[in-house]
Amino acid sequence: MATISLEEVRKIYAGGVEAVKSVSMDIADGEFIVLVGPSGCGKSTLLRMIAGLEEISSGTISIGDRVVNRIDPADRDIAMVFQNYALYPHMSVYNNLAYGLRNRGVPKDEIDRRVKEAARILEIGAFLERKPKALSGGQRQRVAMGRAIVREPAAFLFDEPLSNLDAKLRVQMRVEIKRLQKSLGTTSVYVTHDQLEAMTLADRLVVLNGGAIEQIGDPISVYEQPASTFVASFIGSPAMNLIPVSVRDGRATLDSETAAGGSSLSGPDLGNGTGYTLGVRPEHFVPASERPAGPGDLSLTVTTTVLEPVGAESYLYASIGGDSGATGATVTNSSAAHVVIRVPAAARHQPGEVLSFTATADRLHAFDKTTGKRIPR
Ligand SMILES: Nc1ncnc2c1ncn2[C@@H]1O[C@H](COP(=O)(O)OP(=O)(O)O)[C@@H](O)[C@H]1O
Ligand SMILES: [Mg+2]
């Protein structure tokens, strides 16, 4: 086990792409860190630099108390698990697990002990003699994990290891990886573009945007206090509603209110200023009939468009504004004028219904309209 520390680590690829921009962070011994962000944000590059598969352009990477900038991948005491498994097709599962250890000159009986222990943990003991092509995707992924485990490394590095699996298996393997990591206690850095996978696995999330860290924190803190509109819209599904508002005469007013043809918002007043982006999670709306809006609360009148049941609950898509009398009188062509609201599974809304909701002041997020950064309240 080991700590991993990154100090102002950068990567500029030949050709000038700055894939990672001065990333600094400390990973604790035994911690499960998930690097999450959209495709191209630099996750794999950062992970590969920790692994030593990619040279760093500047900065320092330490594993334990050792600076590893100039240390070969093979000597960094880490094990990497890839999306495509990278198994040797001509070798049995046993030999796939044993291969790396043999190369390192580990004694035969020690190899046998480690392979059998990994096979027991991963429940792959029954097919140690099979070749990878005779295994299902989930079994192959387990063998790939087994190959990392037998190394008994200081850290595991995972690059989207579950991306090739179907949805059901992905959820199952996600739980297994978490259980395994907790029982082995091995420091882990896990890369994914899947926000749900990130939330469920991480001790701490690192949200990357364009090669830079947008926010670091435990999943619930990041979900509850997103540092920016980028994080707010990336973490959580359906995404947080982001509604541009202006402050006029000491009252927050929806930007599209005029177009909406009727007052539909009395929101929090953050003082003078030109305005801000108001954020509300879909689950934080309650029917106005149950909870009339008090001072600082948001009250919103909407016209429903689509009801999307997902089983345990449903999501109501609606446009802001209550004037549904004439077609096209409500706001269109602006994503800001639309909201998604979580409603009970039993809800049976039809398109065109006019409904009022409240979101209490403590559930409202405010972001700077220009920078997108969270405004502390
Ligand atoms: N070998 C390379 N040469 C040049 N640019 C690269 C190379 N690998 C990745 N990139 C670029 O660096 C950025 C980050 O890529 P990557 O780390 O693979 O992102 P992610 O894993 O988050 O999808 C992208 O813009 C990508 O096109
Ligand atoms: Mg990648």
Side-chain angles (χ1 to χ4, degrees), residues 38-350:
S39 177
C41 72
K43 305 180 295 292
S44 294
T45 301
L46 193 52
L47 195 74
R48 291 170 60 81
M49 288 195 289
I50 298 172
L53 300 172
E54 203 68 70
E55 244 183 75
I56 65 176
S57 304
S58 65
T60 309
I61 298 181
S62 311
I63 300 177
D65 0 333
R66 193 167 62 136
V67 173
V68 296
N69 285 18
R70 304 204 184 289
I71 294 182
D72 265 5
D75 299 325
R76 289 193 183 194
D77 197 17
I78 47 100
M80 190 135 171
V81 182
F82 299 94
Q83 172 181 351
N84 58 10
Y85 322 129
L87 301 178
Y88 301 109
H90 58 288
M91 286 185 199
S92 67
V93 169
Y94 187 99
N95 286 331
N96 263 286
L97 296 178
Y99 183 75
L101 300 179
R102 285 194 191 120
N103 272 354
R104 274 153 218 270
V106 176
K108 203 164 179 247
D109 49 349
E110 172 66 10
I111 293 177
D112 195 59
R113 185 193 68 76
R114 291 202 206 173
V115 169
K116 296 213 165 118
E117 174 63 8
R120 186 189 63 76
I121 295 170
L122 292 163
E123 296 171 8
I124 53 174
F127 33 84
L128 283 175
E129 296 316 315
R130 284 196 212 165
K131 300 271 173 64
K133 68 172 186 301
L135 302 176
S136 70
Q139 291 166 337
R140 279 180 215 174
Q141 190 54 62
R142 279 204 193 110
V143 177
M145 301 263 307
R147 215 168 38 176
I149 292 173
V150 295
R151 297 265 313 275
E152 299 180 353
F156 293 132
L157 306 180
F158 298 91
D159 195 348
E160 312 233 9
L162 306 182
S163 295
N164 282 345
L165 304 178
D166 65 48
K168 192 173 166 197
L169 200 53
R170 213 155 56 218
V171 173
Q172 194 183 321
M173 288 299 291
R174 187 171 85 199
V175 175
E176 278 190 38
I177 288 178
K178 183 158 181 165
R179 180 181 59 78
L180 199 64
Q181 197 272 344
K182 287 289 161 244
S183 72
L184 297 172
T186 309
T187 311
S188 298
V189 185
Y190 187 108
V191 161
T192 181
H193 66 275
D194 180 330
Q195 60 88 25
L196 185 59
E197 205 170 289
M199 288 277 293
T200 51
L201 283 171
D203 291 327
R204 277 193 303 159
L205 289 178
V206 179
V207 184
L208 290 173
N209 180 15
I213 295 180
E214 191 88 9
Q215 187 167 10
I216 303 184
D218 69 89
I220 297 301
S221 310
V222 171
Y223 186 82
E224 289 183 346
Q225 304 269 304
S228 62
T229 50
F230 177 85
V231 178
S233 51
F234 193 76
I235 301 293
S237 178
M240 182 185 282
N241 295 291
L242 294 172
I243 308 165
V245 296
S246 298
V247 178
R248 284 183 230 120
D249 308 325
R251 182 172 173 272
T253 314
L254 187 68
D255 279 5
S256 50
E257 192 173 31
T258 338
S263 176
S264 51
L265 177 142
S266 69
D269 173 17
L270 291 181
N272 32 36
T274 53
Y276 54 91
T277 302
L278 185 65
V280 194
R281 294 268 178 214
E283 67 269 31
H284 290 150
F285 286 103
V286 285
S289 54
E290 286 171 26
R291 170 95 200 208
D297 293 349
L298 168 69
S299 92
L300 201 58
T301 299
V302 301
T303 304
T304 62
T305 49
V306 170
L307 182 67
E308 201 175 68
V310 295
E313 61 216 14
S314 293
Y315 290 96
L316 184 64
Y317 290 78
S319 56
I320 295 173
D323 183 4
S324 62
T327 21
T330 49
V331 186
T332 51
N333 301 326
S334 159
S335 61
H338 292 267
V339 284
V340 50
I341 297 168
R342 188 179 74 181
V343 294
R348 293 287 178 274
H349 296 294
Q350 298 299 318

